Amino acid sequence: MTRPLTHIWRLGTWARVAARHGALRGIQHDPNTPPPVKRLIGLFSLGTRRSRIPDYAGAFREIGPAAIKLGQTLATRPDLVGEEAARNLLTLQDSLPPVGFAAVREVIETSFGQKLETLYADFDPSPVGAASIAQVHRAITTDGRTVAVKVLRPGVRERFARDIDTYEWAAAHLEALGGEAARLRPRLTIANFKRWTARELDLRREAASASELAEASVGIEGYRIPAIDWDRTNGRVLTLEWVDGIKISRVADLAAAGHDLPALARRLVLAFLKQAISGGFFHADMHQGNLFVLADGTIVAIDFGIMGRID
């Protein structure tokens, strides 16, 4: 069990980072903030040079991977963090400097118990994307297929477990203060966050979600899910079909390629509604960074760490 002093030390370290970004000012001056929390913020903020304009997203980025994920969760809770903070947190991007190829190789070889070369004929050491939990590399399998390989960052599970332990401790103490702090149910927020990240930290679950959604999406015209390579997938490595398309956020590029933008929008909305209402199983993280458009106009979704069900 983690000692209370350890939790306090971590919270103090994070609070000083947040204070430098001006991210604690709103909480400190909110009349609903419990007095003990205000006093702690003042103590942790001593001697920091504070930004005049609050940058909540910048603070979460600097604190680390678990904080980035927590910030993305809090962006959906303006009732908890306020409208201004929620808007700023919506800009929070999941990008981080990538880990070196030697560490990626070690994760792959350790988790599979075999050399990387027995799985992939070619493996690009430079990632095409690096996020808080994993990074993605382009590769060619030994049977000649081009694939995307998602690899968990070394030590990320342990770091998330440590940080969430402190989030739970802090949420329990905050809720015990009663009043507005209890009404906002911070323990439930952290419990939901813990459940979501547990799914994202096991790539077998993501692969299973992708396969289930692919089966449910067979009848959805112009929308599909990349095929999973189960022989090259485990809890720390996910291998799936490479998607060669235009990210849906690049609107100018889509228009230049001759795509009908209103038609794409209609197809995307209908695809989501069919998943949620007809199938009862849907992609719950279908933002613009997780959607690509192929040359024939087909929309392809990626990243199935967060899914939803409606019974």
Side-chain angles (χ1 to χ4, degrees):
M1 180 179 290
T2 306
R3 296 182 302 168
L5 280 177
T6 302
H7 290 307
I8 293 169
W9 173 260
R10 289 175 189 163
L11 289 169
T13 302
W14 298 337
R16 291 186 68 80
V17 173
R20 287 201 308 272
H21 287 82
L24 297 180
R25 191 176 295 116
I27 300 173
Q28 194 169 21
H29 295 111
D30 192 315
N32 292 314
T33 301
V37 175
K38 291 186 177 185
R39 288 194 292 270
L40 282 174
I41 290 174
L43 176 64
F44 290 146
S45 302
L46 283 175
T48 58
R49 296 183 62 183
R50 308 180 197 183
S51 170
R52 287 187 297 174
I53 301 175
D55 181 12
Y56 306 97
F60 280 99
R61 284 191 201 99
E62 187 174 336
I63 290 170
I68 291 174
K69 283 295 179 187
L70 179 61
Q72 292 172 339
T73 302
L74 293 175
T76 69
R77 292 294 305 274
D79 61 313
L80 189 64
V81 300
E83 295 286 350
E84 179 188 355
R87 280 194 299 270
N88 180 267
L89 289 170
L90 284 172
T91 69
L92 190 60
Q93 296 299 308
D94 213 12
S95 57
L96 283 177
V99 299
F101 177 60
V104 170
R105 173 187 281 274
E106 184 178 0
V107 170
I108 294 173
E109 294 185 345
T110 302
S111 62
F112 281 108
Q114 53 187 302
K115 287 290 187 181
L116 181 144
E117 287 77 12
T118 65
L119 300 164
Y120 308 101
D122 184 65
F123 196 100
D124 190 343
S126 300
V128 295
S132 59
I133 286 178
Q135 61 191 50
V136 178
H137 294 255
R138 182 170 181 160
I140 299 174
T141 63
T142 50
D143 54 358
R145 291 175 293 106
T146 302
V147 293
V149 185
K150 185 175 183 177
V151 184
L152 285 187
R153 287 176 172 268
V156 71
R157 288 178 175 173
E158 295 75 16
R159 183 167 182 180
F160 265 74
R162 183 199 70 184
D163 289 359
I164 291 174
D165 186 30
T166 295
Y167 296 164
E168 290 177 318
W169 184 88
H173 282 74
L174 180 61
E175 196 161 314
L177 295 174
E180 187 73 3
R183 185 189 71 79
L184 294 172
R185 298 186 294 175
R187 287 193 302 168
L188 182 59
T189 297
I190 298 303
N192 286 333
F193 172 70
K194 184 178 182 178
R195 185 169 64 252
W196 294 345
T197 55
R199 289 189 60 86
E200 291 192 81
L201 288 167
D202 186 345
L203 297 183
R204 291 169 300 187
R205 291 186 175 188
E206 180 175 343
S209 295
S211 290
E212 184 177 351
L213 187 61
E215 292 178 7
S217 301
V218 169
I220 302 177
E221 185 179 353
Y223 179 91
R224 71 176 182 85
I225 308 300
I228 302 297
D229 184 339
W230 284 101
D231 291 335
R232 295 171 178 82
T233 293
N234 59 40
R236 294 180 183 270
V237 182
L238 168 62
T239 303
L240 69 165
E241 172 191 357
W242 179 263
V243 177
D244 194 6
I246 301 172
K247 191 172 287 190
I248 209 165
S249 58
R250 291 161 49 191
V251 178
D253 292 343
L254 291 173
H259 292 291
D260 183 337
L261 302 186
L264 284 176
R266 284 193 299 272
R267 190 179 312 135
L268 182 59
V269 171
L270 288 172
F272 177 80
L273 292 176
K274 287 178 180 177
Q275 290 174 39
I277 298 172
S278 298
F281 183 64
F282 61 93
H283 194 314
D285 196 23
M286 205 163 68
H287 60 72
Q288 60 184 1
N290 287 339
L291 296 164
F292 290 82
V293 180
L294 304 186
D296 65 359
T298 299
I299 298 171
V300 180
I302 62 168
D303 198 347
F304 309 95
I306 302 176
M307 307 297 291
R309 292 188 187 275
I310 300 177
D311 63 20

